[in-house]
Amino acid sequence: MTEMVDRLLLFSKLQVEPYTHAPVEIRQLLTGILDTYRLSFEQQGLSVQFEDLLPPEGGMVMADEAKLASVFHNLLTNAMKYTADETIRVRAERRVGVFHFEITNAVGPSARSPVDWDHVWEPFYVMESSRSKLYSGTGLGLSIVRTILEKHHAIYGVRPDADEVTFYFSLPFMDHHSDPEIVRS
């Protein structure tokens, strides 16, 4: 119950509090978060395949770093809870001026219904195909992701295929000529 109340408070706060956008080195943020999850994934018998297609210099995005980190945390946790096999694929790349992130995991038979995918961004929606009810969540993780990404004006979505699902988002890279001042929204 405490987790549910905490998540509800966070969800409400994310919708109204100001976001502080500053330059964030995206590869550094993502690899740091992936490193913090390695032990959790190993304990679950899972592996993460990280395909880093970012340019050698990485890249900067304007973002609220703590909130963007929360997006990565929620998507990784979601994949860990709902994967139907042992491998989760993460991909980061530069696409025509944007940072593009994807996370893909296998889905079980109950997650293949098209109706399910229409609701994943809604608060309290929990897929029935969680690997274990012990790891099932509050149904707020993807709503939190949606709220944060919308506040960042990101392009985001979900792409279900026959046996897997991919969550993705894109944020513009900072132009090398951009002024790196902090922006509040």
Side-chain angles (χ1 to χ4, degrees):
M1 185 58 99
T2 302
E3 180 187 2
M4 176 68 81
V5 170
D6 289 344
R7 300 287 280 178
L8 266 173
L9 290 172
L10 173 64
F11 182 60
S12 295
K13 192 169 117 175
L14 287 170
Q15 294 181 28
V16 296
E17 76 179 1
Y19 283 47
T20 303
H21 296 268
V24 174
E25 205 301 317
I26 198 68
R27 175 185 281 131
Q28 183 179 347
L29 177 63
L30 177 56
T31 57
I33 290 170
L34 285 170
D35 286 344
T36 66
Y37 274 82
R38 292 207 192 286
L39 182 59
S40 293
F41 277 99
E42 287 173 14
Q43 290 173 340
Q44 299 288 323
L46 302 172
S47 66
V48 176
Q49 292 177 347
F50 178 39
E51 188 175 9
D52 182 351
L53 300 174
L54 294 170
E57 69 277 5
M60 303 292 278
V61 297
M62 284 295 282
D64 185 309
E65 186 169 358
K67 291 177 177 75
L68 187 54
S70 181
V71 167
F72 288 129
H73 285 294
N74 275 295
L75 291 173
L76 285 162
T77 301
N78 195 62
M80 183 171 29
K81 289 176 186 175
Y82 293 100
T83 189
D85 72 13
E86 299 80 36
T87 303
I88 294 165
R89 296 188 321 273
V90 172
R91 180 183 178 112
E93 65 183 316
R94 182 179 188 101
R95 289 186 179 174
V96 191
V98 299
F99 164 75
H100 184 77
F101 173 84
E102 294 185 350
I103 185 164
T104 303
N105 60 271
V107 294
S110 65
R112 293 182 187 144
S113 167
V115 175
D116 290 338
W117 299 112
D118 293 338
H119 303 289
V120 295
W121 304 107
E122 295 174 13
F124 308 113
Y125 185 78
V126 179
M127 297 286 285
E128 293 300 319
S129 61
S130 175
R131 295 175 76 226
S132 163
K133 290 304 168 194
L134 175 66
Y135 301 116
S136 189
T138 60
L140 289 172
L142 291 175
S143 297
I144 289 169
V145 166
R146 179 189 67 198
T147 298
I148 294 169
L149 291 176
E150 286 178 354
K151 291 281 188 170
H152 281 83
H153 306 288
I155 295 169
Y156 69 94
V158 59
R159 201 172 44 247
D161 291 320
D163 296 325
E164 60 186 24
V165 62
T166 300
F167 288 90
Y168 63 89
F169 71 90
S170 296
L171 287 171
F173 275 112
M174 290 178 60
D175 184 342
H176 292 292
H177 306 294
S178 295
D179 184 3
E181 78 180 46
I182 294 175
V183 179
R184 297 186 190 280
S185 64

